[in-house]
């Protein structure tokens, strides 16, 4: 891996500095030290990226490419991602603090998302309509929606890019990818692979920068047709307001306070592992973190003790080390938010069973923490902390558990642990969330739609229908009559 690299913007097939010369430093969360620099986009750079994306839609090299050819390009990109998974994983781990085991493994698996959408590229079909008018042949076709702005956060960059870029490219769109300014290095490494794969200049551009100079002019630009955003609700509100300027179709994948319900007939080892995966996996830096554990009262103490015992085996440390289970948090702001939230919860009567404080060492390390909550108003049950904090609260009845699970403005992920199949169906059908895992947690696939409800956003990513979200339907009417069109003042 290159020492102290500097990343340029990738716009219209070329690498360049930002037009104002603004440069930021990205910091290694494991050490707290700057390790790379990157160019930042200004409004002129945003204009250049969007202009290129608009131009290439009418360029025969992309416009006239067959759907099968587009699919082959996506397969080529998938092969390059797989070949470079370890390298990109190391870059992402250094930049965001996520475990190398996860970043490299996830990047390798992400290749299958591009293969999935590469296979779908020539399955985007129209239809001949059984129209109710004689002498008319009417058919529909799916056309690319146009210029797409894809905005991804730092916490699962390759995955969250694939769920947007894969279907967009399969549909024939052009994409301006806006990487988080917090940890953008993996996205620039990914841009190199797009370049190597052979996409025409302008089809994919990768930029980053602050809100005022990059995100705002990008999302309100009049030539944008679609915005695919993953991030926090506050930023999403600004994105929606900006989209009022261009009427861009917008989908939002936001955060959550996902519930995991554990019933007294559950396998407790499996449930404990599910709660640990949902809260300490990825150091808790996951939009689907199962940060509200709802535990059937008869098994509450036993399950808490089992989790506490398993927690003694958790290794917190260098994310590049294969033996590490929990790495550092990406930013110091997350540490501060967790400390403040835990302090409030303690004044509300919550009991911290283990953890509860940052580790006394260089880097943004937070000890895995378990909080026993005294009531539903406990602060840790409400705040999305984006860190390794598990909050548990008991329930007595199935109805109560469902009510608690749904007592949140969010609705992204959820989990149910039970060996009763009828209960699994009954409870999962009533939980208001876009995803429900039964006796497992935090599993994804290119085949399965991903997304939430309420303040967790709207729209779905992945799955067969996602590719249609990057198209518009055109209806064509052809008169097959021998007679010329008559009476122009009467609608046919």
């Amino acid at each position: 891996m290159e020492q102290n690299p500097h990343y340029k913007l990738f716009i219209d097939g070329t690498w360049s500095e930002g037009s104002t010369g603004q440069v930021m430093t990205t910091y290694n969360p494991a050490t707290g030290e700057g390790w790379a620099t990157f160019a930042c986009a200004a409004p002129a750079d945003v204009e250049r990226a969007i202009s290129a994306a608009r131009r290439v839609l009418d360029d025969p090299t992309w416009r006239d490419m067959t759907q099968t050819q587009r699919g082959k390009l996506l397969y080529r990109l998938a092969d390059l991602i797989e070949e470079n998974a370890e390298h990109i994983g190391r870059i992402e781990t250094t930049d965001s603090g996520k475990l190398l085991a996860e970043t490299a493994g996830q990047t390798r698996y992400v290749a299958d998302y591009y293969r999935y959408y590469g296979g779908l590229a020539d399955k985007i079909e129209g239809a001949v309509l059984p129209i109710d008018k004689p002498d008319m042949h009417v058919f529909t076709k799916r056309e690319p929606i146009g210029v797409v702005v894809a905005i991804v956060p730092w916490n699962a960059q390759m995955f969250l890019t694939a769920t947007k870029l894969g279907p967009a490219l399969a549909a024939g769109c052009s994409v301006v990818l806006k990487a988080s300014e917090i940890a953008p290095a993996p996205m620039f490494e990914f841009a190199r692979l797009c370049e190597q794969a052979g996409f025409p200049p302008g089809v994919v551009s990768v930029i980053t920068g602050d809100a005022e100079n990059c995100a705002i002019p990008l999302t309100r630009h009049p030539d944008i047709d679609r915005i695919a955003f993953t991030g926090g609700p506050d930023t999403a509100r600004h994105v929606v307001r900006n989209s009022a300027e261009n009427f861009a179709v917008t989908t939002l994948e936001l955060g959550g306070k996902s519930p995991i319900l554990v019933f007294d007939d559950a396998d407790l080892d499996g449930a404990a592992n599910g709660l640990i995966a949902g809260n300490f996996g990825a150091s808790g830096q996951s939009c689907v973190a199962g940060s509200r554990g709802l535990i059937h009262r008869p098994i509450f103490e036993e399950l808490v003790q089992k989790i506490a015992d398993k927690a003694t085996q958790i290794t917190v440390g260098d994310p590049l080390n294969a033996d590490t289970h929990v790495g550092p948090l990406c930013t110091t702001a997350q540490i501060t938010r967790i400390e403040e939230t835990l302090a409030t919860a303690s004044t509300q009567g919550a009991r911290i069973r283990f953890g509860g404080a940052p580790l006394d060492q260089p880097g943004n390390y937070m000890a895995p923490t378990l909080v026993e909550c005294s009531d539903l108003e406990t602060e840790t049950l409400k705040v999305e902390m984006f860190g390794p904090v598990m909050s548990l609260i008991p329930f007595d009845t199935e109805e109560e558990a469902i009510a608690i699970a749904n007592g949140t403005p969010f609705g992204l992920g959820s989990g149910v642990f039970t060996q009763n199949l009828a209960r699994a169906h009954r409870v999962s059908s009533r939980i208001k969330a876009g995803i429900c895992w039964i006796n497992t947690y935090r599993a994804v696939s290119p085949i399965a739609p991903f997304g939430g409800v309420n303040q967790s956003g709207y729209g779905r990513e992945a799955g067969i229908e996602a590719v249609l979200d990057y198209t518009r339907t055109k209806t064509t009417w052809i008169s097959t009559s021998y007679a010329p069109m008559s009476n122009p003042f009467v609608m046919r």
Side-chain angles (χ1 to χ4, degrees):
M1 190 168 67
E2 183 183 352
Q3 295 296 314
N4 302 315
H6 175 70
Y7 292 97
K8 297 180 180 180
L9 306 173
F10 182 65
I11 299 175
D12 199 11
T14 63
W15 297 89
S16 62
E17 300 292 344
S19 57
T20 64
Q22 182 186 7
V23 171
M24 288 186 182
T25 298
T26 182
Y27 294 85
N28 184 340
T31 64
E33 299 175 351
W35 79 278
T37 57
F38 57 92
C40 296
D45 306 303
V46 170
E47 184 65 40
R48 192 156 51 95
I50 295 174
S51 294
R54 177 59 62 189
R55 183 205 72 239
V56 77
L57 291 174
D58 290 321
D59 189 325
T61 59
W62 183 241
R63 182 196 65 201
D64 296 343
M65 188 178 289
T66 67
Q67 291 170 261
T68 301
Q69 288 171 325
R70 287 202 301 265
K72 289 179 178 179
L73 270 182
L74 284 165
Y75 267 87
R76 171 61 178 151
L77 178 59
D79 291 343
L80 288 168
I81 290 170
E82 192 167 49
E83 291 166 13
N84 289 273
E86 184 74 17
H87 171 69
I88 291 179
R90 285 188 173 275
I91 295 291
E92 186 172 356
T93 292
T94 304
D95 213 25
S96 70
K98 290 188 67 175
L99 297 184
L100 177 60
E102 173 146 341
T103 56
Q106 190 176 77
T107 299
R108 197 169 289 111
Y109 185 55
V110 153
D112 283 345
Y113 279 76
Y114 291 98
R115 293 189 180 105
Y116 179 79
Y117 285 107
L120 281 178
D122 56 8
K123 289 33 170 220
I124 303 171
E125 301 174 343
V128 176
L129 305 183
I131 206 69
D132 61 345
K133 301 183 185 302
D135 301 328
M136 287 286 184
H137 176 67
V138 183
F139 63 91
T140 64
K141 63 180 293 190
R142 293 276 185 168
E143 297 184 336
I145 198 168
V147 177
V148 175
V149 167
I151 302 175
V152 296
W154 53 264
N155 64 308
Q157 298 176 64
M158 291 298 291
F159 165 62
L160 294 171
T161 295
T163 58
K164 299 169 180 60
L165 204 66
L169 296 178
C173 298
S174 55
V175 183
V176 178
L177 175 64
K178 196 275 180 185
S180 170
E181 65 273 25
I182 292 176
M187 292 293 89
F188 290 116
E189 296 287 343
F190 171 71
R192 292 172 179 168
L193 303 187
C194 293
E195 185 180 26
Q196 291 176 40
F199 288 94
V203 172
V204 179
S205 292
V206 180
I207 62 176
T208 191
D210 59 37
E212 192 67 30
N213 290 297
C214 184
I216 293 174
L218 189 61
T219 52
R220 66 187 302 157
H221 197 284
D223 281 340
I224 294 301
D225 299 293
R226 194 184 194 287
I227 301 171
F229 173 84
T230 300
D234 290 340
T235 304
R237 291 184 180 93
H238 291 291
V239 169
V240 171
R241 292 187 190 103
N242 291 342
S243 69
E245 299 297 322
N246 51 30
F247 298 112
V249 176
T250 303
T251 52
L252 306 173
E253 197 272 285
L254 311 179
K257 284 296 290 183
S258 299
I260 298 179
L261 288 63
V262 182
F263 290 91
D264 58 2
D265 63 344
D267 181 281
L268 293 193
D269 266 326
N273 286 336
L275 284 160
I276 288 170
N279 287 276
F280 302 154
S283 305
Q285 300 174 117
S286 171
C287 55
V288 295
S291 53
R292 293 186 299 140
L294 316 183
I295 316 300
H296 216 158
R297 196 178 297 275
I299 60 169
F300 188 85
E301 290 300 329
E302 183 181 358
L303 184 56
V304 168
Q305 188 57 56
K306 190 173 285 289
I307 293 169
D309 291 342
K310 288 177 178 288
T312 63
Q313 306 301 313
I314 294 175
T315 300
V316 182
D318 183 354
L320 291 170
N321 190 322
D323 296 326
T324 297
H325 301 118
V326 175
L329 302 189
C330 188
T331 68
T332 57
Q334 292 166 256
I335 298 284
T336 301
R337 185 174 177 84
I338 291 171
E339 289 183 299
E340 292 173 350
T341 305
L342 291 176
T344 300
S346 294
T347 66
Q348 296 170 322
R351 178 188 176 195
I352 297 177
R353 279 292 296 261
F354 57 78
L359 300 187
D360 186 17
Q361 64 185 62
N364 305 330
Y365 290 95
M366 180 74 197
T369 300
L370 190 152
V371 182
E372 290 184 32
C373 300
S374 55
D375 60 58
L376 296 178
E377 296 305 310
T378 304
E379 193 77 353
T380 57
L381 292 171
K382 296 180 175 182
V383 176
E384 186 182 25
M385 288 170 280
F386 236 58
V389 179
M390 180 190 304
S391 298
L392 303 183
I393 191 165
F395 68 85
D396 292 301
T397 68
E398 184 177 300
E399 287 296 321
E400 181 189 10
I402 294 169
I404 295 172
N406 291 337
T408 174
F410 298 101
L412 184 54
S414 62
V416 177
F417 282 83
T418 178
Q419 297 188 60
N420 184 320
L421 182 60
R423 171 182 276 162
H425 279 285
R426 190 169 60 242
V427 173
S428 64
S429 69
R430 291 184 58 194
I431 294 176
K432 296 175 182 176
I435 309 162
C436 188
W437 289 284
I438 309 293
N439 295 327
T440 188
Y441 205 78
R442 209 168 159 251
V444 296
S445 167
I447 303 166
F450 186 99
V453 299
N454 300 330
Q455 290 191 26
S456 288
Y458 48 77
R460 294 294 180 267
E461 297 186 324
I464 195 167
E465 292 182 3
V467 73
L468 301 182
D469 291 340
Y470 289 86
T471 67
R472 285 195 174 102
T473 300
K474 175 181 281 185
T475 304
T476 301
W477 293 71
I478 302 175
S479 173
T480 59
S481 173
Y482 286 105
M485 183 174 173
S486 60
N487 197 341
F489 300 105
V490 176
M491 181 179 283
R492 288 292 315 267

